[in-house]
Amino acid sequence: MYFYGTTGVNNIGHLEIGGIDTLELAKNFGTPLYVYDTALIRERARSFKKAFEEQQVRAQVAYASKAFSTIAMVQLAEEEGLSLDVVSGGELYTAMAAGFPTERIHFHGNNKSKEELEMALEHKIGCIVIDNFYEIELLKTICQEKTTKVNVLLRVTPGIEAHTHDYILTGQEDSKFGFDLQNGQVEAALTEVLSSEYFNVLGIHCHIGSQIFETTGFLLAAQKIVEKLAEWKETLSFEAKVLNLGGGFGIRYTKEDEPIPPAQYVSEIIKEVKQLVEQFSLTMPEIWIEPGRSLVGDAGITLYKIGSAKDVPEVRKYLAVDGGMSDNIRPALYQAKYEAVLANKPLAVSTQTVSIAGKCCESGDMLIWDLPLPEIEEDDLLAVFCTGAYGYSMANNYNRIPRPAVVFVENGIATLVVKRETYEDLIQLDLPLK
Ligand code: LLP
């Protein structure tokens, strides 16, 4: 039996996380329940940072808060000295409500509104990652109105798309994000921002994909960008102070996944950039990265109560839990795979193969297909591993199902960090017909 993150079995045979019995957690906080072992999040954050420190490279490790944005999580990121990537006014607001130092916030997005950009400027956030020509003009206007100057990165699409083990090299990337690195767009954008008095151009950003298990894609992206930097030094007298290579470092959702350790991504990236910079006689830029999933993914589990069962003879046995696509839409949206055990007897021998269904009115609301489990008894509790990234952050109220609570556990202490939604919460914004 493989246990994910810091889960294990305690002396009474129950699944535990962060030193706490999951049955206790379910009893005290109800189900479905998101549980995060924050010690593991801290460990991951530290290993990313250490990898840069060891190689004496100036860096920022920015937590991509889209993976899981709540006040407590942002505060944890702050405690660990991370920077923060936000992609909306809502994520920015959360960061500010958490008291996150605004100078370490980076603002992303392909369609930031005027209001969002104004908010970012008013709070003097660290930098805006400019995504397109429309944004250059919008930001210029706002800076002009506010007579202010802003730090910016330009997001480029380097023509590399990486997915887990595959990376695809495309001449011209078909993406809604960023300036194309190959077709002259980025030079036009760079010329524009460099000539404006409102921008302090820090450097270049790219993000090549998510759940990537190899470094090849990152190294190729670095190569393509640094080659361009060498060119721009000559043609535009521009030298980047920052090279941001985005996030996307993969994690282990199932036994089949074999990610490399966070530090290895970083050390290989650094080695490559150092070598390229030397080759082209450039000044070593700061390297920024933006891990989301790899900081929080395997630190989180979801606990569900098992309810109804349906046997389709010769075909399949369905077991339904008290949550589903409302708290984890990833299986329905991406055919994402998860593993799970019975939290009250994780070591019991599996005797059957079942498929875990959610409780939403939709056939596609399945959490796990073909999961080996022991016989099911009254009050069994299912623990799904690695739900820490893009679970809560993509949760929704389909069928008016309230969103679960979130609990942080660390060293035997459990802290409620997001309350369970109530029925009253669900109708809070509704107004009557008359
Ligand atoms: N930086 C940028 C610019 C990004 O677009 C993303 C993710 C990240 C960093 C963080 O990527 P990570 O390290 O978490 O892979 N909802 C999908 C994932 C979408 C990722 C979008 N961008 C999922 O559930 O798999």
Side-chain angles (χ1 to χ4, degrees):
M1 177 69 216
Y2 177 81
F3 290 99
Y4 291 79
T6 54
T7 57
V9 180
N10 65 14
N11 55 11
I12 49 170
H14 296 168
L15 184 75
E16 65 169 12
I17 177 167
I20 306 191
D21 191 320
T22 49
L23 271 66
E24 282 293 308
L25 291 168
K27 195 172 111 211
N28 294 338
F29 299 102
T31 58
L33 184 69
Y34 298 107
V35 185
Y36 285 82
D37 182 350
T38 45
L40 187 59
I41 302 178
R42 294 185 196 282
E43 190 186 308
R44 297 268 188 271
R46 287 170 198 177
S47 67
F48 273 121
K49 288 188 69 185
K50 189 160 157 248
F52 284 109
E53 282 155 17
E54 275 176 358
Q55 308 235 16
Q56 292 165 345
V57 170
R58 280 153 55 89
Q60 282 194 37
V61 178
Y63 168 53
S65 65
K66 74 204 79 180
F68 171 53
S69 168
T70 70
I71 288 180
M73 181 56 218
V74 169
Q75 288 173 336
L76 185 71
E78 151 64 357
E79 279 183 9
E80 291 304 318
L82 301 175
S83 297
L84 201 71
D85 149 6
V86 301
V87 294
S88 68
E91 286 184 0
L92 177 57
Y93 185 84
T94 306
M96 291 189 308
F100 198 89
T102 53
E103 70 276 9
R104 295 213 311 269
I105 299 179
H106 313 155
F107 195 6
H108 279 276
N110 68 310
N111 189 25
K112 305 174 192 79
S113 69
K114 184 159 193 269
E115 293 72 22
E116 286 175 320
L117 288 169
E118 281 171 349
M119 182 174 165
L121 261 57
E122 270 155 32
H123 293 92
K124 303 201 177 346
I125 71 156
C127 77
I128 308 272
V129 185
I130 297 185
D131 198 274
N132 50 62
F133 290 106
Y134 175 85
E135 189 178 347
I136 296 180
E137 293 315 311
L138 186 57
L139 202 50
K140 255 193 215 168
T141 314
I142 299 169
C143 286
Q144 198 171 17
E145 280 167 14
K146 293 191 181 300
T147 51
T148 188
K149 194 169 173 163
V150 63
N151 291 332
V152 297
L153 294 181
L154 284 195
R155 177 167 182 168
V156 303
T157 38
I160 294 156
E161 232 184 83
H163 302 281
T164 307
H165 291 295
D166 307 321
Y167 58 91
I168 309 159
L169 267 178
T170 52
Q172 189 129 337
E173 198 179 8
D174 185 2
S175 163
K176 73 169 182 174
F177 295 109
F179 299 99
D180 196 294
L181 195 65
Q182 331 281 341
N183 68 4
Q185 265 186 8
V186 64
E187 280 80 9
L190 202 51
T191 308
E192 186 82 24
V193 287
L194 287 171
S195 68
S196 163
E197 59 191 294
Y198 298 114
F199 300 130
N200 175 28
V201 187
L202 297 181
I204 300 296
H205 170 279
C206 79
H207 171 78
I208 56 169
S210 242
Q211 185 62 352
I212 302 167
F213 286 167
E214 285 163 4
T215 51
T216 326
F218 293 101
L219 306 188
L220 274 171
Q223 231 172 58
K224 287 190 157 203
I225 295 173
V226 177
E227 276 170 18
K228 284 286 188 183
L229 291 178
E231 199 182 302
W232 298 334
K233 188 180 170 187
E234 297 303 315
T235 55
L236 299 167
S237 306
F238 169 69
E239 276 213 77
K241 293 183 206 70
V242 172
L243 175 56
N244 186 333
L245 290 170
F249 315 109
I251 65 162
R252 186 171 200 181
Y253 282 101
T254 69
K255 289 181 207 70
E256 283 73 49
D257 296 336
E258 287 173 358
I260 56 177
Q264 196 179 330
Y265 291 102
V266 171
S267 61
E268 288 192 30
I269 288 171
I270 294 173
K271 211 170 105 203
E272 181 73 9
V273 177
K274 275 187 174 166
Q275 188 261 317
L276 287 162
V277 158
E278 197 174 319
Q279 182 186 339
F280 292 105
S281 310
L282 298 170
T283 313
M284 181 72 187
E286 278 188 32
I287 308 285
W288 294 5
I289 55 167
E290 297 168 337
R293 190 188 317 266
S294 54
L295 283 173
V296 296
D298 63 352
I301 63 171
T302 310
L303 300 175
Y304 300 97
K305 195 169 180 304
I306 295 177
S308 67
K310 177 186 172 181
D311 209 351
V312 185
E314 315 289 318
V315 179
R316 174 182 309 284
K317 183 167 179 184
Y318 289 92
L319 270 187
V321 293
D322 55 356
M325 66 190 291
S326 44
D327 58 77
N328 186 0
I329 202 168
R330 300 191 69 256
L333 202 54
Y334 316 117
Q335 288 78 50
K337 305 244 179 321
Y338 289 88
E339 292 196 0
V341 292
L342 294 183
N344 46 322
K345 43 187 168 189
L347 297 179
V349 178
S350 300
T351 52
Q352 57 175 345
T353 300
V354 298
S355 291
I356 307 298
K359 64 177 280 148
C360 295
C361 279
E362 177 151 338
S363 301
D365 177 25
M366 295 295 296
L367 287 176
I368 304 178
W369 294 97
D370 301 326
L371 175 71
L373 279 187
E375 287 313 303
I376 301 301
E377 292 164 314
E378 185 84 18
D379 295 331
D380 277 346
L381 200 65
L382 190 78
V384 178
F385 296 114
C386 297
T387 56
Y390 306 105
Y392 176 80
S393 67
M394 295 177 84
N396 58 81
N397 291 125
Y398 183 46
N399 295 162
R400 290 232 139 168
I401 294 173
R403 284 173 299 170
V406 184
V407 169
F408 278 4
V409 296
E410 191 162 347
N411 300 326
I413 296 169
T415 312
L416 182 69
V417 294
V418 179
K419 290 189 278 186
R420 182 174 302 283
E421 230 168 10
T422 62
Y423 292 142
E424 294 81 65
D425 292 332
L426 290 177
I427 57 163
Q428 205 192 4
L429 302 176
D430 290 12
L431 298 170
L433 191 54
K434 280 199 197 114

